[in-house]
């Protein structure tokens, strides 16, 4: 069927739902009507059956149907094609995180409470300034990612140098460990030698004192124990 817009300002996201298994637990639309709900559900069934991935985007007329699968859960949004899939997946990221912050996925959860959150997010993405800002941020992140990939490729091209550097690092680490072990052994040896030297000096002093006393009092040192 043909889709009709009711708003003068074209929103980025015109329809969204959250599904668990075979059931849609919450859905919202903004400014459109038509038979796209059936098309979206049929697309989701095929995606789950083919297991093409956790994120998929399908073009339908002037819109894209974008899906994010998380275990048995599915988050879907239908976005205007001109906004780009990156904006749609940012939206899906926001609503999935908000959903799992609110609910545990249990049978007692009242998912109707998420209706207000879902509509609030859709209104947010209906603001052209917000969408431009998100696109700008996304573009900046993409450029950073490209630079990171380029740097990683350069590193991979110099794999041999990295291996040599790692080998040298291992040698230095081994040498450092061996040096520390030798230092500990040397320190212990010096302490023991110093102790033996002190004991030797004490013994010499005692011998000298004994000789001096023995010269005056005899070998038995009788004078030391005499009452006189």
């Amino acid at each position: 069927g043909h889709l009709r817009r009711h708003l003068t300002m074209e929103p980025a996201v015109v329809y969204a739902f959250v599904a668990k298994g075979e059931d849609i637990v919450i859905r919202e639309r903004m400014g459109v009507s038509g038979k796209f709900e059936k098309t979206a559900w049929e697309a989701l069934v095929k995606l789950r059956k083919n297991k093409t991935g956790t994120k998929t985007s399908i073009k339908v007329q002037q819109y894209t149907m974008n899906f994010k699968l998380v275990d048995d859960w599915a988050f879907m949004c239908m976005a205007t094609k001109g906004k780009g899939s990156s904006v749609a997946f940012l939206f899906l990221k926001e609503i999935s995180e908000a959903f799992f912050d609110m609910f545990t996925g249990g049978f007692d959860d009242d998912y109707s409470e998420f209706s207000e959150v879902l509509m609030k997010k859709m209104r947010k993405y209906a603001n052209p300034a917000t969408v431009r800002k998100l696109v700008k941020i996304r573009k900046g992140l993409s450029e950073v990612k490209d630079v990171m990939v380029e740097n990683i490729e350069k590193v991979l091209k110099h794999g041999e140098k990295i291996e040599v550097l790692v080998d040298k690092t291992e040698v230095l680490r081994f040498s450092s460990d061996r040096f520390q072990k030798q230092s500990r052994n040397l320190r212990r040896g010096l302490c023991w030698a110093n102790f033996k030297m002190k004991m030797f000096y004490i013994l010499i002093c005692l011998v000298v004192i004994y000789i001096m006393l023995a010269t005056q009092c005899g070998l038995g040192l009788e004078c030391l124990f005499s009452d006189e």
Side-chain angles (χ1 to χ4, degrees), residues 20-168:
K20 181 181 183 182
E22 301 298 322
D23 301 310
I24 294 178
V25 297
I26 195 72
R27 73 186 82 194
E28 288 293 344
R29 68 172 68 195
M30 178 178 284
V32 293
S33 62
K35 297 180 180 180
F36 51 83
E37 294 181 3
K38 181 180 178 182
T39 304
W41 184 254
E42 290 175 351
L44 175 59
V45 172
K46 289 181 180 179
L47 290 175
R48 283 176 166 169
K49 183 178 179 180
N50 298 331
K51 297 181 180 180
T52 55
T54 58
K55 293 181 181 180
T56 308
S57 183
I58 301 171
K59 294 180 181 179
V60 180
Q61 297 182 19
Q62 69 268 41
Y63 299 96
T64 59
M65 291 185 177
N66 309 276
F67 300 85
K68 179 181 178 181
L69 307 182
V70 183
D71 298 328
D72 197 33
W73 291 93
F75 299 87
M76 177 272 177
C77 75
M78 191 167 76
T80 51
K81 193 180 297 184
K83 304 301 181 182
S85 60
S86 59
V87 173
F89 284 114
L90 282 174
F91 174 83
L92 291 177
K93 181 177 183 294
E94 285 194 19
I95 66 169
S96 60
E97 289 176 351
F99 185 84
F100 289 124
D101 284 342
M102 290 180 63
F103 306 107
T104 60
F107 293 103
D108 298 331
D109 288 333
D110 183 10
Y111 299 119
S112 61
E113 296 177 4
F114 194 68
S115 178
E116 183 179 349
V117 177
L118 189 57
M119 181 54 69
K120 184 178 179 180
K121 295 290 185 183
M122 293 176 74
R123 291 195 189 99
K124 172 185 173 181
Y125 278 75
N127 187 332
T130 300
V131 174
R132 284 195 299 270
K133 183 178 179 180
L134 291 170
V135 171
K136 185 177 180 180
I137 293 173
R138 189 75 175 183
K139 183 179 179 182
L141 291 174
S142 179
E143 291 175 353
V144 171
K145 180 181 177 182
D146 292 340
V147 171
M148 290 177 65
V149 171
E150 183 181 353
N151 290 337
I152 291 171
E153 289 177 349
K154 289 181 180 178
V155 168
L156 292 176
K157 289 179 181 178
H158 296 82
E160 293 182 0
K161 293 182 179 180
I162 292 174
E163 290 177 3
V164 171
L165 179 61
V166 170
D167 291 341
K168 289 182 179 179

